[in-house]
Amino acid sequence: QIILVAIALICVPWMLLVRPLIIRSRMKKAEREQESHYADPEADDAMLGDDHGHGDEDHGFGELMVHQAIETIEFCLGCISNTASYLRLWALSLAHGQLSEVLWDMVLHAGLSGKFYLLWPAFFGWACLTVAVLLIM
C-alpha cells in the first residue's frame, strides 16, 4: 500500500512538470526536422515575413502547461473521489454486518432458543428486517 501511495504521489509532479517538458521537446524536435526538410532559399524568405517565431511557441507551451495543470487536478480529484467511494462502501459493509449480527442476536436467536411456536414469527421478523436493512437501505 505504501508503494502505491508513493507512486500516486510521484505521478502528480510528473504529470504537472515532466510530461509537458517532454511534449515540448518532442514538438521542438519535430519542428527542427520539418525545417531541415524544407530548407530552401525561397521558403526562408517567405518565413521571414511570417510572425511564427518565439511568441507563438511560448503561447503554445503556456497552453500546454494550463492543459496539463487541469489534467493533474482532475487526476487528484479522481483519486480522492475513488478513495472516498471505497471508504463509504467499507463503512456501509461494516454497518450492514453489525446490523445483521444484531438482528441475529435479538430476533432469530431469541426465536430459536424459545418455544417452537415462536420460531416462525421470529424467522418472519428476521427475514423482513434483513431484507429491509440490506436491500432497502
Side-chain angles (χ1 to χ4, degrees), residues 54-67:
H54 191 62
D56 266 354
E57 183 178 306
D58 286 340
H59 185 66
F61 185 67
E63 285 182 10
L64 180 66
M65 286 299 292
V66 168
H67 176 72

Side-chain angles (χ1 to χ4, degrees), residues 11-27:
C11 285
V12 173
W14 181 268
M15 287 178 66
L16 190 59
L17 301 172
V18 177
R19 187 170 182 258
L21 293 174
I22 291 171
I23 292 172
R24 179 179 167 206
S25 68
R26 287 181 184 168
M27 288 171 44

Side-chain angles (χ1 to χ4, degrees), residues 18-61:
V18 177
R19 187 170 182 258
L21 293 174
I22 291 171
I23 292 172
R24 179 179 167 206
S25 68
R26 287 181 184 168
M27 288 171 44
K28 283 189 172 205
K29 182 180 177 184
E31 187 177 294
R32 277 183 271 151
E33 287 176 1
Q34 186 179 15
E35 286 176 2
S36 67
H37 284 115
Y38 298 111
D40 62 83
E42 292 175 7
D44 287 342
D45 291 339
M47 289 196 57
L48 287 176
D50 291 339
D51 192 31
H52 294 293
H54 191 62
D56 266 354
E57 183 178 306
D58 286 340
H59 185 66
F61 185 67

Side-chain angles (χ1 to χ4, degrees), residues 108-131:
L108 194 59
H109 189 65
L112 289 174
S113 64
K115 309 259 186 218
F116 179 72
Y117 61 88
L118 293 176
L119 180 61
W120 288 105
F123 178 76
F124 179 74
W126 175 79
C128 289
L129 288 171
T130 299
V131 168

